[in-house]
Amino acid sequence: MGVGGDNTSMLLRRAFALYGATPTGDFAGTIQFVVAEHGPGTQWLVQREAGQKLDLVGPLGTPFRLPKRAVPAVLVGGGYGTAPLIPLAQQLIEAGSDVEFIVGASTASRLFGELAAKRVAGGVTVTTDDGSAGTRGRVTDVLPAAIQRTKAHVVYACGPMAMLRRGRRRGAGPLGHRAGRRRGVDGLRRRGVHDLRAAGGR
């Protein structure tokens, strides 16, 4: 997305993960994305008023690959990275999969999607680094137990790259493979995360 208007020095576009889209009904053609006001680009964006035009290009990136059959899945969202996991969970559930969420952030004020996840999925675990909400710790701390508890065949994750790297060390790896069934972190195949970097536009 272009920010700053026509005469701006902010030449680089900002990337945002889609939170939802409405193809039919009264709001047909509406898309939703999540913006955190971090810098001048996102500050300009959140100050736009209804009816103003934005310069968008999309959708871009690599879509989540869906399992060929209904299987248990764990979805791991870090901060605003939870946004694209909500519509993913809806698709998985519609296909017959059991879905459990792990939602985390550094602190409670940076959590996103907890209530939406609870409306969609059967179980939601919340973590914060400082313990201000949910369990104290990181999403990757509770990931191995969630995989074992749910017997997850696939794990999807979206969030900061540091979180995705920790996830790989905790029993979830690069795109396109399923989580192992054996017990313990060492027994998990290091091939379980369908990862998508959630860019927090600056």
Side-chain angles (χ1 to χ4, degrees):
M1 177 182 300
V3 297
D6 295 333
N7 301 309
T8 179
S9 61
M10 293 183 285
L11 300 179
L12 296 179
R13 291 179 178 272
R14 275 42 172 186
F16 301 99
L18 284 176
Y19 178 49
T22 307
T24 59
D26 294 339
F27 298 98
T30 301
I31 61 171
Q32 295 174 309
F33 52 91
V34 179
V35 180
E37 188 177 343
H38 285 309
T42 47
Q43 184 179 53
W44 176 89
L45 186 58
V46 300
Q47 291 173 349
R48 298 309 91 199
E49 297 180 359
Q52 288 187 266
K53 293 183 178 180
L54 298 174
D55 183 6
L56 304 176
V57 176
L60 302 173
T62 303
F64 292 118
R65 291 198 290 271
L66 298 176
K68 294 181 180 179
R69 59 187 177 87
V71 294
V74 174
L75 278 58
V76 185
Y80 300 107
T82 305
L85 298 179
I86 302 299
L88 172 63
Q90 292 169 334
Q91 282 190 279
L92 290 169
I93 291 169
E94 288 171 3
S97 295
D98 293 328
V99 172
E100 183 166 320
F101 267 95
I102 302 173
V103 177
S106 58
T107 189
S109 63
R110 293 184 177 271
L111 282 170
F112 177 81
E114 177 187 355
L115 294 180
K118 288 179 178 178
R119 287 194 293 266
V120 172
V124 179
T125 299
V126 176
T127 70
T128 49
D129 294 359
D130 62 3
S132 55
T135 301
R136 185 185 186 94
R138 295 171 170 169
V139 292
T140 49
D141 295 336
V142 298
L143 175 58
I147 293 173
Q148 292 181 39
R149 181 176 62 255
T150 61
K151 297 181 173 61
H153 284 225
V154 65
V155 174
Y156 295 88
C158 184
M161 291 305 295
M163 183 201 86
L164 297 177
R165 285 192 292 269
R166 288 194 301 269
R168 292 188 183 104
R169 293 196 295 269
R170 286 289 193 167
L175 284 165
H177 297 271
R178 294 176 181 175
R181 296 185 183 183
R182 287 175 292 173
R183 297 180 62 191
V185 176
D186 293 337
L188 296 172
R189 292 171 58 198
R190 296 170 64 81
R191 298 262 194 251
V193 162
H194 288 243
D195 62 5
L196 167 69
R197 181 176 180 179
R202 302 279 177 167

